[in-house]
Amino acid sequence: MSPMQKTEPANRAGTHRAITGTPITRTFVEWQRASSQAFVPLHAHATRGGDFSGKLTSFQHAAVSAIRIDASAHAVERTPELISAGGGGMLKFTLQEAGRSYLIQGGRELELTPGRLAVYDTSEPYTMVVDDDSSMLIVMLPYARLSAPARNLTAVALGENGGMSDVVAPLLAGLSRRIAQQDAAGGRQDAAGLAALCAHSVGLLDAMCRDQAERDLGSEAIADSALAAVRATIEAKLRDPSLTPATLAQAHFMSVRQLYTIFEPMGVPVATWIRTRRLEEARKEIQDPAHASVPVSHIGARWGFPEAAHFSRAFKTEFGQTPTQARQKMRAPR
C-alpha cells in the first residue's frame, strides 16, 4: 500500500477506520503530501540542514481524526492561499509528547513543551515549527463537534492555571501510545476501543474549550451562543420530520436535559417552540394565494404533521381555527 492510500473501513457502518501508518518519510515533498492528506493542505519545509525523517500514524472515528507524529526538525505552514483551497472549519488539538514545538497564529506565539496542550484553527493562517526528535498527538475535529464557541481558538494553551490539563493530557498520551502500538502490530487493533478513547477525548476537549471560552467571554455569552446555534438548526430543519428534541440535542453534542436548560430563556420548552414554528410556517402557506390549490393536509405534512387530523387539532389549539377555516377566511371578500 502506498503512503497515500487509506485502509478500508474497520466496520460495515464505516464509523471508524483502521490504523493508517505512512512509511518513514525521507523527503519534504513526501512529508508535505502525507501531512496535507492527514490534515488539511499545508506547506512543509526544512528548518536546518541534514537528513529528515518523519512518520504519521492516524485513526479516524466519525469526523474526528487522531494523528500521531514522530519527526525530525521541520516547519509546516497554512497560508491564506491554502485555506481558500479547502480544509477550513476544523480545530486541531495538539499534545506535545517529546521535543519542542512553536505554534504561531493570530498574532500569538506559543511554545509547546512535553505535556502541554494547545488548540488552533484551520480557517486561520498558522505556522508550526518543530524541533528535532519531536513526538505529538493531534486530534482534529470540525467546529460542530464542540458545544462551546469554536472561533477565536487560535494558538491557545488549554487547561492550564487550574484547568483540566492534568486529567486530559494523560488520556491523550494514552490514545497516542495505543495508536502507535496498534500500528506496530501491523494494524491488528481493537477499533471499538480506540473509537471509545476518541469519543472520551473529544468530550473532555469540549469541556476544556468551554472553560476557556467562559474565561474569555463569560458564561452568559456562551449560553447565548449555544442558544443561537440551536435556534438556527431548528429553522434550517423545520421541514424535516425527524427534527425532535432528541435529534436536535444529538446534532449539538449535548444531552436533551442540557438542550432544555439552554432553551429556558425562550420561555417555552424546545418541543413547543418547534411545533409552534412549524404551525406558523404552515399557516403562512395556507393563507398564501400562491398555494391556494394545495390541500391543507399536504401543507401540514410538508411542515412536520403527516396526519391530517393531528395537524388540524394542533392548528386549532394554536390559532383558534382549523386550517380550512384559516384558508376560507383568507378567501372571504373584504
Side-chain angles (χ1 to χ4, degrees), residues 117-140:
L117 178 62
V119 59
Y120 47 110
D121 189 336
T122 66
S123 295
E124 302 291 336
Y126 67 81
T127 299
M128 174 76 84
V129 180
V130 179
D131 269 358
D132 215 0
D133 299 322
S134 284
S135 296
M136 64 184 71
L137 176 75
I138 298 178
V139 177
M140 186 171 71

Side-chain angles (χ1 to χ4, degrees), residues 9 18 38 46 49 64-65 116-117 128 144 175 180 202 204 223 264 273 302-303 310 323 329:
V64 179
S65 297
R116 201 171 195 198
L117 178 62
M128 174 76 84
L175 174 60
V202 170
L204 288 170
E264 284 177 354
W273 181 274
R302 241 184 349 229
W303 289 102
H310 176 226
K329 185 175 180 180

Side-chain angles (χ1 to χ4, degrees), residues 72-84:
S72 51
H74 69 284
V76 294
E77 291 183 89
R78 179 116 166 109
T79 64
E81 292 75 21
L82 291 175
I83 292 169
S84 66

Side-chain angles (χ1 to χ4, degrees), residues 155-285:
V156 174
L158 291 177
E160 299 183 340
N161 301 319
M164 300 168 58
S165 181
D166 59 336
V167 175
V168 180
L171 177 66
L172 293 178
L175 174 60
S176 179
R177 286 194 302 273
R178 181 69 63 87
I179 290 173
Q181 289 166 0
Q182 299 295 347
D183 181 50
R188 296 186 300 275
Q189 62 183 347
D190 175 11
L194 283 170
L197 271 175
C198 278
H200 286 307
S201 299
V202 170
L204 288 170
L205 290 170
D206 185 24
M208 295 179 80
C209 286
R210 190 174 185 85
D211 178 67
Q212 184 70 41
E214 287 181 354
R215 294 185 191 188
D216 295 342
L217 303 174
S219 57
E220 286 190 16
I222 301 304
D224 290 345
S225 176
L227 176 58
V230 167
R231 289 185 59 185
T233 300
I234 291 172
E235 292 303 309
K237 295 183 175 293
L238 272 180
R239 289 178 181 265
D240 185 347
S242 70
L243 177 65
T244 65
T247 60
L248 186 59
Q250 184 179 25
H252 287 270
F253 303 96
M254 62 180 68
S255 68
V256 173
R257 182 177 180 180
Q258 287 174 310
L259 174 64
Y260 272 84
T261 299
I262 286 171
F263 222 79
E264 284 177 354
M266 301 308 299
V268 295
V270 63
T272 302
W273 181 274
I274 293 171
R275 184 178 67 250
T276 299
R277 287 291 299 118
R278 283 172 164 165
L279 290 169
E280 288 172 346
E281 293 301 318
R283 182 172 66 168
K284 286 181 185 178
E285 285 195 13

